[in-house]
Amino acid sequence: MNGDHKLDVYDREKQNFLQHFPQIVKVLTEDDTKCPDTGDAVARLREVLEYNAIGGKYQRGLTVLVTLQALVEPKKLDADSLQRALTVGWCVELLQAFFLVADDIMDAALTRRGKTCWYQKPGIGLDAVNDAFLLEACVYRLLKFYCREQPYYLNLIELFLQTSYQTEIGQTLDLITAPQGNVDLGRFTEKRYKSIVRYKAAFYTFYLPVAAAMYMAGIDGEEEHSSAKKILLEIGEFFQIQDDYLDLFGDPSVTGKIGTDIQDNKCSWLVVQCLLRASPEQRQILQENYGQKEAEKVARVKLLYEDLDLPAVFEQYEKASYSRLVALIEQCAPTLPAAIFLGLVHKIYKRKK
């Protein structure tokens, strides 16, 4: 099974998930009827939500629902419980939207999910910084509206706050490791790369949605969460390495974005692997061309990667990682359904976007 094979459980729930979005928007924007003074600001919020929360794969949000259904017997999941799960899933998606709007500004990105980046749209610009703040605030408004009376409410609040902090620490590591206009290849080590990946992507992409579902299912023990985290952070590293590869070697018409890791001087998996294999002459080529905006310099770095056979290195890594993750799941998930973790691995293995 690979990333091109859609898992029935995610497909089955995707329509329900999308159908819940108008209710999310309604709850978040109903203030405009109560407070006419803020009506135009709330109209802007609606526009921000509808542009930035829609258009992705929804895997993070759907994982909350799918995981909860795997942990709780169907007869114990009433309509209200499912609605809360859908909402918490959308909270994950809104947190993701917050990160992406801000990240695109910092990276000077052009496209996201096949559309112009929000800040690049006419009339938006750096006002998008405040729009990102609005998206983050929506997460906590929704949690309060839907989950305030639930025993897991505080756990969810702390989980989302901690995940935001970890992701922002990861973004800080990313930015200080690859400052614009200052290419220092010595910074691009495997150790630093793994730290960036773990904090910037793995926590919120995989641990957050599964941990949220665990709390909602009444699973709040340290041992269970520690075991889940160990597996999910490894899956997250696998996922980010795929992302780094697709940034350069993926098809933009499929990925929905034009990769800029080379131009942005990013500490990506590809440049780390290049440095591990490059001769002194090849390292000099990288030094002269990496982190530059000119198309010919980007093409020269890509050619260097191809000369070092990095696409084949990636393919070998992907196969080996899949086997390692399956073994880790068997070893570390005795108290939780292995299908939760295997489903995530199968969902991303051999993915093209």
Side-chain angles (χ1 to χ4, degrees):
M1 190 179 295
N2 59 46
D4 294 327
H5 180 95
K6 297 194 177 196
L7 294 179
D8 292 342
V9 66
Y10 278 81
D11 274 355
R12 190 170 64 242
E13 299 299 343
K14 187 172 182 178
Q15 197 59 36
N16 291 334
F17 190 70
L18 289 172
Q19 286 174 350
H20 190 57
F21 184 67
Q23 176 64 22
I24 294 293
V25 175
K26 181 175 182 293
V27 167
L28 290 170
T29 59
E30 61 188 4
D31 278 358
D32 62 350
T33 59
K34 300 174 185 175
C35 307
D37 291 349
T38 61
D40 49 352
V42 176
R44 168 64 170 245
L45 171 60
R46 178 187 293 272
E47 186 183 359
V48 171
L49 288 166
E50 292 176 344
Y51 193 90
N52 294 290
I54 296 296
K57 299 184 287 290
Y58 310 110
Q59 179 178 300
R60 294 168 181 84
L62 282 166
T63 296
V64 177
L65 184 61
V66 170
T67 302
L68 186 65
Q69 290 172 329
L71 293 172
V72 179
E73 295 176 42
K75 62 184 180 183
K76 294 183 180 178
L77 280 177
D78 59 18
D80 287 345
S81 297
L82 290 172
Q83 186 177 61
R84 284 191 290 270
L86 288 166
T87 300
V88 173
W90 275 110
C91 286
V92 176
E93 291 292 324
L94 292 179
L95 191 72
Q96 152 94 337
F98 156 54
F99 293 148
L100 296 185
V101 169
D103 190 59
D104 286 343
I105 297 169
M106 287 180 264
D107 288 349
L110 301 175
T111 59
R112 170 73 66 181
R113 295 171 171 170
K115 302 187 294 188
T116 302
C117 290
W118 175 247
Y119 83 98
Q120 289 274 13
K121 285 177 64 64
I124 303 298
L126 291 181
D127 290 357
V129 173
N130 190 67
D131 296 330
F133 296 158
L134 284 173
L135 288 165
E136 183 190 29
C138 286
V139 171
Y140 299 99
R141 292 183 66 212
L142 286 171
L143 289 175
K144 180 180 179 181
F145 187 87
Y146 281 92
C147 302
R148 189 179 187 183
E149 304 303 321
Q150 301 305 310
Y152 50 75
Y153 177 58
L154 181 59
N155 281 329
L156 287 185
I157 293 291
E158 291 182 343
L159 175 65
F160 274 88
L161 287 170
Q162 180 66 7
T163 301
S164 294
Y165 174 71
Q166 288 163 327
T167 306
E168 289 152 10
I169 284 292
Q171 178 75 344
T172 303
L173 287 172
D174 190 17
L175 293 170
I176 63 178
T177 302
Q180 292 284 337
N182 180 14
V183 180
D184 181 357
L185 300 180
R187 296 172 183 254
F188 299 154
T189 65
E190 279 192 294
K191 182 178 179 182
R192 174 48 64 97
Y193 176 75
K194 285 177 180 288
S195 296
I196 293 171
V197 167
R198 173 165 295 225
Y199 284 92
K200 185 179 176 181
F203 276 106
Y204 92 87
T205 300
F206 292 97
Y207 180 64
L208 170 61
V210 173
M214 289 170 66
Y215 284 129
M216 296 178 80
I219 301 171
D220 56 6
E222 188 175 332
E223 183 180 350
E224 289 91 340
H225 278 265
S226 179
S227 294
K229 186 182 293 184
K230 182 175 182 179
I231 297 167
L232 293 163
L233 294 183
E234 289 292 327
I235 296 175
E237 181 178 317
F238 177 48
F239 178 85
Q240 185 59 48
I241 289 172
Q242 290 176 312
D243 246 23
D244 288 359
Y245 179 79
L246 292 171
D247 180 87
L248 182 61
F249 291 107
D251 180 350
S253 68
V254 176
T255 63
K257 60 183 178 181
I258 299 168
T260 59
D261 282 357
I262 292 172
Q263 298 94 311
D264 293 339
N265 188 31
K266 290 293 184 182
C267 181
S268 87
W269 183 81
L270 288 168
V271 75
V272 171
Q273 296 303 311
C274 174
L275 287 166
L276 290 173
R277 294 165 172 78
S279 66
E281 294 77 18
Q282 289 170 322
R283 186 183 176 101
Q284 186 58 36
I285 292 171
L286 190 65
Q287 181 70 54
E288 291 168 359
N289 293 280
Y290 202 74
Q292 309 295 319
K293 304 296 184 186
E294 295 87 349
E296 62 271 18
K297 293 192 174 184
V298 175
R300 186 66 189 90
V301 174
K302 184 175 183 180
L303 181 61
L304 175 59
Y305 289 170
E306 289 169 339
D307 288 344
L308 291 168
D309 213 10
L310 292 192
V313 174
F314 171 76
E315 186 176 345
Q316 183 180 13
Y317 162 82
E318 192 172 38
K319 289 178 182 177
S321 291
Y322 176 82
S323 299
R324 183 171 54 80
L325 285 168
V326 170
L328 181 64
I329 290 166
E330 291 174 357
Q331 171 194 338
C332 293
T335 58
L336 296 166
I340 294 170
F341 307 103
L342 291 171
L344 289 169
V345 175
H346 292 157
K347 189 74 176 167
I348 64 175
Y349 183 52
K350 296 284 187 182
R351 69 189 177 98
K352 301 299 179 188
K353 62 179 183 178

